[in-house]
Structure formats: C-alpha cells, structure tokens
C-alpha cells in the first residue's frame, strides 16, 4: 500500500462530514480533486470504505475503522511537528475552543495576535449553541469554552473578557406609536427567538416571563445572523446582543428601541474545567489574555460605548 498523508487527511474529513462536496469546501480543494484522491485511496483496499445509497454517501464499518486509524496517524504526525518546534524553542501545539454562536463576534479578536505571534499553534474553534458548548467542555473535548452564562453543574475556572448587552431591536424603518408601551412591543409585534438551548433565548424568555407578557406571534430561527436578517427585513423584532449588530446599526438597517429593564447585561467568560491539566499552549494563551485583554477591548470594542446609554 502506498497511501499518502494527504489521502488520509481527505478520507478522514469525508468520513466526518459524509459528503465529498462539504469535505472539498472545508479542505479548500475542488470536488473532482477530492473524488480522485478518495478513489485512489479506496483502490488500495480489498474492502469498500464507502457506499452510496440513493445520492447519499455512507462510510462502511471497515471505512470507519480506517478513519479511526487515519486520525491516530495524523495526530501522531502533528505531535512530531509540535515536538520539533518545541525543541527549536517555539511554542507549539493545538488549542481547542468551543464558542457559543454569538461569541464568534468576540473570540477571534482575542485570538488574532496570539496566533500571529505563535506560528506553531493550531487553532480549532467550534461555534455552536450553549448546550453543545457545555457538553464539549464536560466531555473534555476542548481546552476552553466561551459562554455568557456560566454552567451551573460544572466546576470551572474563568477569565472575564467583556460585558454582553442585549437590547430590543427593530428594523430601522418600522414605525412605532409616540408613546409606545412594553405591552405593545412584546404582544403586538411578532417576536423573533433563537432556538432552545441558546443563552440569548433564555435571557429573552426570562425577561418576558418576569414582566408577565403574552407573546402572540413567535418566530424561531437557529442563529444570531438569521435573527438579524429577519429583523432587518421587517419580519419582526427581537432582543439581541449588541456585539453582532455593529454594522447594521451604523448603516441604519437596525435601531435600538429603549425599553425599561433593558439592556440585559451578562459577561463573556472564557471557562475551563477546574480539573483540566492545561497544555503549555493553553497556559500561554491565558497569560496572553492577562497581559493584552484590556488593550484588545479598547482597540476593538470601544464602539460599544456609543450604544451603552441608549
């Protein structure tokens, strides 16, 4: 057998996604190139690695075994590279972070210079909802997680990054009565929610319940970006984190409606398990945050002050 590391990487990605198209997108390769490499790899085995049922590609049981072996080989090769760089005096290794979906507007700014300064560090960042973020932390699948609400059942250490403020937001052209009431905002206008499990949704529902509102028309979408586009289109209003709406607010696509009791304020926290044995890369990143956090906030997020007193 003469399979290459490149073929192992391609097959592992296909097995993860069960799609040649999606694998080619994530690997930044053309679909024909991925298909050819898959065929060349499969031809070296007497047992099929994949099968197509209808138009869906599936990994066979034997293929799953090969994928697991491929993952081990790739990890060992990466470990060799990390050890080589460490021997040369360079920080090296892999940093895994799970981020709640709105956190994608926050975490990259706290990572950029660290990654630039440490060429030997690889970053894996998974962006998903709060429930999955907490689950990945609980299973020790990641080094850190970024959340706006601390998990109740896990013992974690934390670094506070910055405030997270949620406002009632409308599209810019929506007309409101001169003396608009909270009852009107929450009971007469369709309200757009995030999916169950989202910290933004939980905060929104708690506010509504606390004020005894009866929402008559509810729209549910599965990402902050989808909610933003729905509000801009005039589909309804929502309580949304300020952090993801900078351009829409400055471009007069969205506007904040002042509501007593809002904004809801939480804090972006980088968290990790107290029992976690942090890698040298993870420790270096925490030290980096300690030294650079305030400067990053001032440089990248000072625009938030323009809306704090709305």
């Amino acid at each position: 057998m003469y399979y290459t590391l490149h073929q192992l990487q391609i097959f592992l990605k296909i097995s993860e996604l069960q799609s040649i198209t999606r694998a080619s997108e994530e690997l930044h390769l053309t679909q024909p190139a991925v298909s050819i490499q898959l065929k060349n790899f499969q031809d070296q085995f007497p047992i099929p690695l994949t099968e197509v049922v209808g138009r869906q590609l599936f990994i066979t049981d034997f293929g799953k075994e090969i994928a697991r072996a491929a993952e081990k080989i790739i990890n060992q090769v990466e470990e060799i590279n990390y050890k080589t760089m460490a021997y040369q005096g360079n920080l090296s290794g892999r940093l895994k972070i799970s981020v709640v979906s709105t956190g994608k507007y926050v975490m990259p700014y706290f990572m950029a210079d660290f990654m630039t300064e440490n060429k030997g560090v690889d970053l894996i960042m998974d962006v998903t909802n709060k429930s999955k973020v907490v689950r990945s932390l609980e299973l020790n699948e990641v080094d850190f997680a970024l959340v706006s609400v601390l998990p109740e059942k896990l013992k974690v250490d934390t670094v506070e990054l910055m405030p997270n403020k949620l406002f009632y937001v409308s599209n810019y052209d929506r007309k409101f009565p001169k003396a608009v009431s909270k009852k009107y905002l929450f009971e007469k206008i369709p309200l757009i929610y995030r999916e169950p499990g989202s910290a933004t949704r939980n905060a929104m529902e708690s506010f509504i319940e606390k004020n005894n509102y009866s929402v008559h028309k509810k729209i549910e979408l599965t990402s902050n970006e989808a909610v933003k586009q729905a509000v801009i289109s005039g589909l309804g209003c929502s309580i949304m984190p300020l952090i993801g709406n900078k351009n829409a607010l400055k471009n007069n696509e969205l506007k904040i409606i002042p509501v007593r009791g809002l904004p809801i304020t939480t804090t972006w926290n980088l968290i990790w398990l107290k029992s976690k044995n942090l890698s040298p890369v993870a420790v270096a990143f925490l030290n980096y945050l300690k030294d650079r956090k305030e400067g990053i906030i001032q440089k990248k997020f000072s625009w938030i002050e323009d809306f704090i007193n709305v």
Side-chain angles (χ1 to χ4, degrees), residues 166-272:
L166 289 80
F167 291 83
Y168 186 100
V169 178
S170 162
N171 75 322
Y172 192 80
D173 296 325
R174 184 181 288 274
K175 305 300 182 184
F176 293 91
K178 288 185 178 180
V180 61
S181 66
K182 286 193 287 187
K183 187 178 180 67
Y184 176 89
L185 294 175
F186 287 92
E187 297 185 4
K188 299 298 183 182
I189 297 175
L191 210 55
I192 303 174
Y193 287 70
R194 285 286 307 279
E195 78 284 359
S198 160
T200 298
R201 178 179 178 133
N202 291 342
M204 185 171 168
E205 288 182 330
S206 294
F207 180 81
I208 291 169
E209 182 179 351
K210 180 181 177 181
N211 288 275
N212 296 316
Y213 298 133
S214 298
V215 178
H216 295 301
K217 186 162 186 178
K218 181 189 298 185
I219 300 168
E220 183 179 299
L221 300 174
T222 57
S223 74
N224 189 73
E225 194 64 28
V227 172
K228 177 169 69 177
Q229 295 303 322
V231 174
I232 289 174
S233 73
L235 196 57
C237 294
S238 188
I239 295 177
M240 300 181 66
L242 180 62
I243 194 70
N245 294 315
K246 175 183 177 181
N247 291 335
L249 288 166
K250 290 194 171 184
N251 293 336
N252 292 334
E253 295 175 315
L254 293 178
K255 61 184 175 184
I256 293 172
I257 308 301
V259 176
R260 185 179 296 275
L262 295 179
I264 300 167
T265 302
T266 59
T267 301
W268 288 113
N269 288 280
L270 190 72
I271 65 175
W272 64 99

